[in-house]
Amino acid sequence: MTSPEDGVRRSWEKYGARGRNTVELMLEYVRNIIEEEGPFHGVIGGSEGGSAAATTLVDQLELARKHGQPCPMQCGVFFVSTPPMREDGEGFSLVDETDRRITVPTCHIYSEQDLLCWMTKSLYNFCQEDGKTLILHEGGHTIPHTEELMVDVADFVRRIKQGDILETPMVVHNAATT
């Protein structure tokens, strides 16, 4: 594998084909929730749910840009997550195939021991550099339930709430495993 994006493409060829209708239905469902119960300050998701969260964040950023308004969603938190889906539902949005980006601060939590870490790296690459935080752990494709990890994620959210956006990516090596 030459890049995380190449791995994502090969995975899509083997396991993909959800189709446009699935992405449209998901976005319509989430837009209705946002309209009825929002606004929400950000998204959070894990694994494939992280892909849905990233797809939602891209959609909300594009809607805000289209209407000349700031995006109400100020951040994304992604646990062992996959990249956002393409608008046509035929694969993932990859940094080397589109100019679309997640342009709000993001926090990415994953493990190099995760067999799918290249999917998370592809999402990480899709996000702007400013305000990006990476929290590494040793737990594989899991979300460790440790105080240390929760403190690191809470620190990210606190920084966003206070408007303290880092200009360079921050990496936290969190050895939490359980």
Side-chain angles (χ1 to χ4, degrees):
M1 180 171 12
T2 58
S3 73
E5 288 73 24
D6 289 335
V8 172
R9 275 187 281 279
R10 282 199 296 282
S11 176
W12 182 261
E13 290 167 6
K14 188 171 182 179
Y15 303 109
R18 291 183 179 114
R20 181 176 181 87
N21 194 37
T22 304
V23 174
E24 286 177 351
L25 286 172
M26 185 274 298
L27 286 173
E28 181 181 326
Y29 178 75
V30 173
R31 285 177 191 147
N32 286 335
I33 292 171
I34 291 169
E35 187 175 310
E36 292 172 13
E37 300 180 27
F40 297 97
H41 299 289
V43 295
I44 186 169
S47 196
E48 288 183 2
S51 180
T55 304
T56 297
L57 190 51
V58 169
D59 179 64
Q60 291 297 300
L61 287 162
E62 289 179 358
L63 285 173
R65 193 170 18 257
K66 206 180 286 184
H67 296 293
Q69 301 172 342
C71 183
M73 293 195 178
Q74 302 166 7
C75 68
V77 177
F78 304 106
F79 292 90
V80 296
S81 297
T82 57
M85 297 294 298
R86 288 183 6 194
E87 293 172 307
D88 63 8
E90 295 299 321
F92 294 99
S93 289
L94 303 175
V95 70
D96 61 357
E97 295 180 350
T98 182
D99 291 333
R100 297 168 60 194
R101 296 288 177 275
I102 292 176
T103 57
V104 295
T106 54
C107 182
H108 306 263
I109 302 96
Y110 77 95
S111 168
E112 291 287 340
Q113 283 73 42
D114 183 353
L115 296 177
L116 300 175
C117 71
W118 43 272
M119 295 286 268
T120 299
K121 289 177 182 179
S122 183
L123 172 58
Y124 181 84
N125 292 344
F126 192 81
C127 300
Q128 73 177 9
E129 291 297 307
D130 292 353
K132 196 159 42 173
T133 295
L134 173 61
I135 300 173
L136 296 172
H137 65 83
E138 303 296 322
H141 193 75
T142 63
I143 301 172
H145 294 86
T146 66
E147 183 177 347
E148 295 88 0
L149 182 76
M150 294 305 120
V151 166
D152 290 340
V153 173
D155 284 346
F156 168 79
V157 173
R158 191 174 302 108
R159 283 196 322 270
I160 300 309
K161 187 175 179 184
Q162 294 170 348
D164 183 16
I165 299 170
L166 301 173
E167 293 182 14
T168 58
M170 177 177 163
V171 179
V172 177
H173 294 281
N174 185 321
T177 58
T178 57

